[in-house]
Amino acid sequence: MARTVIISETGGPEVLTLTDREVGEPGPGQIRIRHHAVGLNFIDVYQRTGLYKLDLPVPLGMEAAGVVEAVGEGVTHLKPGDRAAYAAVPPGAYSEARVMPAAQVCPLPDGISFEQAAAIMLKGLTVHYLFRRIVPLSAGDTVLFHAAAGGVGLIACQWAKSDGITLIATAGSDDKCALAAEHGAPHTINYRTEDFVARVKELTQGRGVDAVMDGVGKDTFEGSLQCLRPVGCMISFGNASGPVPPFDISRLAAMGSLLLTRQTIFSHISDYATCQKMAADLFDKVLTGAVVPRIGQTFPLEEIAEAHRALEGRRTTGATILTL
């Protein structure tokens, strides 16, 4: 048995229920992992509220780190006793232990703690695909990154700096802007007190940025498009402020033949070899010090509802970790 957070209906944080659940043995292609730390992400909120549909009842959580207890037939890259971490479907990371598919579970180097791993797997692999797998970005390019003081954003600030990419960071307070700057963003914009479109145009001498990376959604979508150079790329990867309304794609031509894409991490890591390579790249960034995970707050598993309230209320910085 393992304590596990499930939802039986969609709604507010109050629908999160901690219960004892049987774990069982891994089948072919599966492992059983005992968690030491679990990551909290906005996708968990989207699933809890019903924005992203799941069959109920269902456990939540997409990111964790721990020790492999057992492996099923056909699993060769992991063995009992191995340290491991993952960002993966199906959900179920909000638990002391679980059985899950092995393909997206990655061996964890000794130089990275369980807490650090739970802070970087989903967020860091998201940054990897944003900078490496969508449009060609290289040293000297300029990127606008929204919500740069969050878990994904602080990794993005450091990743961009290590790759020689200029990152313009937006955040909702002067303190959060300062945090983004501390993590490598050379330019910051407090979107509550500044017009981020005008400021981006000023910083780029009217040219616009090569790419916008936007996990905020509805509130920043229109302005983000206005920040792009001709044939620049708008990468939408989240809906923290709500989903983007229906959009007339002919406007992209009129605004400079812009590119627009809506991404999800799970498309990029669905292939075993690709996932393992992306994780190895991410671990290298951490082990070399190019990316230093920032854990802004921790909550015990039994306080999962309060953790969700803090995340939705934008009262968090960096990554949020659940302890077991």
Side-chain angles (χ1 to χ4, degrees), residues 42-292:
F42 249 105
I43 190 172
D44 309 338
V45 173
Y46 304 154
Q47 292 173 344
R48 191 206 75 220
T49 60
L51 180 63
Y52 292 176
K53 304 298 182 184
L54 296 173
D55 293 331
L56 303 176
V58 66
L60 291 186
M62 313 294 284
E63 174 184 47
V67 175
V68 177
E69 290 189 330
V71 302
E73 180 183 352
V75 177
T76 59
H77 70 292
L78 295 166
K79 64 183 184 303
D82 281 352
R83 304 170 76 250
Y86 66 85
V89 292
Y94 291 179
S95 62
E96 293 176 320
R98 68 181 294 197
V99 168
M100 65 179 297
Q104 279 67 48
V105 183
C106 305
L108 181 64
D110 289 338
I112 301 176
S113 71
F114 293 121
E115 292 76 16
Q116 288 175 319
I120 63 169
M121 288 304 291
L122 192 146
K123 303 166 191 68
L125 292 175
T126 294
V127 172
H128 185 295
Y129 83 70
L130 288 172
F131 281 89
R132 297 276 178 90
R133 292 178 53 83
I134 301 175
V135 292
L137 289 172
S138 57
D141 287 341
T142 301
V143 166
L144 173 64
F145 201 101
H146 290 299
V152 176
L154 292 182
I155 295 174
C157 290
Q158 298 173 80
W159 192 293
K161 182 179 179 181
S162 69
D163 280 358
I165 294 168
T166 299
L167 187 140
I168 302 173
T170 75
S173 71
D174 290 343
D175 287 344
K176 288 186 175 183
C177 284
L179 189 59
E182 289 171 16
H183 285 74
H187 307 289
T188 63
I189 302 170
N190 182 341
Y191 65 82
R192 295 189 188 279
T193 59
E194 296 182 81
D195 179 340
F196 75 82
V197 176
R199 182 66 175 138
V200 166
K201 291 298 178 68
E202 178 185 347
L203 289 169
T204 60
Q205 291 76 53
R207 174 180 180 268
V209 297
D210 299 288
V212 177
M213 300 174 181
D214 189 346
V216 174
K218 176 174 63 69
D219 288 354
T220 50
F221 181 77
E222 287 291 337
S224 293
L225 290 175
Q226 296 173 43
C227 289
L228 287 168
R229 63 161 172 82
V231 202
C233 184
M234 165 73 169
I235 306 169
S236 175
F237 67 97
N239 315 285
S241 66
V244 174
F247 177 78
D248 178 4
I249 64 170
S250 66
R251 290 185 56 209
L252 299 175
M255 297 179 76
S257 298
L258 303 181
L259 308 176
L260 172 62
T261 180
R262 178 61 169 90
Q263 296 284 315
T264 174
I265 182 177
F266 301 108
S267 300
H268 291 273
I269 64 173
S270 60
D271 173 72
Y272 162 76
T274 300
C275 178
Q276 299 293 326
K277 174 62 168 62
M278 289 173 64
D281 290 346
L282 173 61
F283 294 153
D284 183 65
K285 287 281 191 185
V286 175
L287 292 171
T288 60
V291 169
V292 178

